[in-house]
Amino acid sequence: SPDGRLIAVGRMDGQLGLASVDTGNWVLEPRKVYAGPVDGVEFSPDGSLLVTSGNDGRIRLWDGRSGASRGSVRAVPAGVRSFVTFREDGRALMVAGSDGSVRRWDLRIETWARLACARAGRDLTTEEWVDIFGEDQPYRRTCPTT
């Protein structure tokens, strides 16, 4: 972590753990988060978030202090390995896929809701929501004025 107090461990068996550097105790016991290896693990500049990537096309966000899940999003097609890094301001991620793609992902949910409304012209369905944000993020209306 930026303050040097925590270390995130992404393992080849798809497990993620978060440990205290001072005590060596797990803050988040290692648990399976990807079917394949954890390809990328990085803290946000302020340490409030942790991002991971793997081979299922999803990037996952975690609370950078407790390890609690904050949600996931499909960044590249399933089966494509992805690698992530935070932009300096911590408000976006840069995602590089093993297919040669590079994407910028804004982390502000209000940005995504606004884009979804503009594109679809309606609220997302539950299925669309899960596909975009994953099951970790509770469904909510995306277009409050429709």
Side-chain angles (χ1 to χ4, degrees), residues 75-138:
V76 296
V80 173
R81 296 177 75 177
S82 60
F83 306 89
V84 293
T85 188
F86 279 92
R87 295 215 13 170
E88 288 182 16
D89 64 7
R91 296 169 73 178
L93 295 169
M94 297 303 295
V95 183
S98 62
D99 61 355
S101 63
V102 177
R103 294 175 175 84
R104 179 184 178 277
W105 285 90
D106 192 308
L107 293 174
R108 296 169 292 180
I109 192 85
E110 63 273 7
T111 300
W112 285 100
R114 191 171 53 252
L115 289 171
C117 286
R119 181 104 6 135
R122 59 172 173 73
D123 281 330
L124 294 176
T125 65
T126 304
E127 294 79 25
E128 290 168 331
W129 180 274
V130 169
D131 187 53
I132 295 168
F133 298 108
E135 295 178 3
D136 298 330
Q137 188 69 239

Side-chain angles (χ1 to χ4, degrees), residues 3-76:
D3 65 6
R5 293 189 169 161
L6 296 173
I7 186 167
V9 179
R11 298 180 6 179
M12 294 300 292
D13 64 359
Q15 292 192 50
L16 172 71
L18 189 61
S20 167
V21 172
D22 294 334
T23 66
N25 295 330
W26 292 108
V27 173
L28 173 68
E29 291 274 340
R31 66 179 185 152
K32 189 99 167 151
V33 297
Y34 290 99
V38 176
D39 291 326
V41 178
E42 185 173 330
F43 283 95
S44 62
D46 68 359
S48 65
L49 290 174
L50 177 69
V51 65
T52 60
S53 62
N55 69 345
D56 65 355
R58 287 200 169 280
I59 53 175
R60 290 175 168 78
L61 290 170
W62 312 90
D63 183 282
R65 293 176 183 89
S66 70
S69 176
R70 297 283 301 271
S72 68
V73 66
R74 184 169 312 283
V76 296

